[in-house]
């Protein structure tokens, strides 16, 4: 815990947030242009955090997350994400979504790898 606190204090919350925001914007820019892919949540701005939920047409979220992990070595999470009421509101309560969490130690290459994998998967359907 102490090492984590030191890292945040030395790096700066603003620098961490700026890096995560830039990667989130990169991800959103690519995802919104993909046919059959739907992004949930605010598109941009202060209400958007570095967690992006999405679905891909013809791919149940559980299967998509499994394929990203097993076929591309990309960790995501599928399901209701401990938020069943928001999924009821979104109309995704039957299947949930896939969620990608972006952190300070992620890179632009990581974002591109996820998007490239999703494009390859989408092309299979």
């Amino acid at each position: 815990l102490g090492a984590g606190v030191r890292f945040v204090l030395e790096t700066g919350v603003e620098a961490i947030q700026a890096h995560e925001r830039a990667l989130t914007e990169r991800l959103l820019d690519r995802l919104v242009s993909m046919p059959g892919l739907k992004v949930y949540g605010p598109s941009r701005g202060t209400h958007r955090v570095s967690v992006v939920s999405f679905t891909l047409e013809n791919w149940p979220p559980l299967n998509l997350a499994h394929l990203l992990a097993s076929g591309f070595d990309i960790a995501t999470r599928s399901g209701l994400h401990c938020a069943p009421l928001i999924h009821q509101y979104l109309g995704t309560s039957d299947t949930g979504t896939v969620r990608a969490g972006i952190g300070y130690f992620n890179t632009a290459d990581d974002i591109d790898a996820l998007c490239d994998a999703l494009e390859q998967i989408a092309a299979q359907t």
Side-chain angles (χ1 to χ4, degrees):
L1 179 62
V5 170
R6 275 191 299 282
F7 172 79
V8 170
L9 291 174
E10 290 169 4
T11 305
V13 172
E14 295 81 13
I16 293 168
Q17 185 179 40
H19 177 73
E20 290 177 358
R21 182 173 288 132
L23 292 178
T24 302
E25 293 292 323
R26 184 183 189 99
L27 178 60
L28 291 171
D29 286 344
R30 290 210 41 202
L31 291 182
V32 298
S33 66
M34 288 186 200
L37 194 136
K38 181 173 182 178
V39 176
Y40 297 88
S43 58
R44 301 283 192 277
T46 57
H47 297 292
R48 168 57 79 177
V49 296
S50 60
V51 175
V52 178
S53 291
F54 57 90
T55 53
L56 181 60
E57 190 175 291
N58 300 319
W59 281 90
L62 179 64
N63 295 6
L64 181 57
H66 182 276
L67 180 57
L68 287 168
S70 63
F72 298 90
D73 200 27
I74 297 172
T76 59
R77 176 124 193 246
S78 67
L80 300 181
H81 310 100
C82 300
L85 294 179
I86 191 64
H87 284 279
Q88 186 176 24
Y89 173 79
L90 296 172
T92 58
S93 58
D94 289 343
T95 60
T97 62
V98 176
R99 181 179 70 189
I102 300 163
Y104 182 76
F105 296 104
N106 287 116
T107 66
D109 287 343
D110 295 329
I111 300 304
D112 292 342
L114 171 58
C115 294
D116 292 346
L118 289 168
E119 287 173 348
Q120 287 179 37
I121 293 167
Q124 296 175 14
T125 57

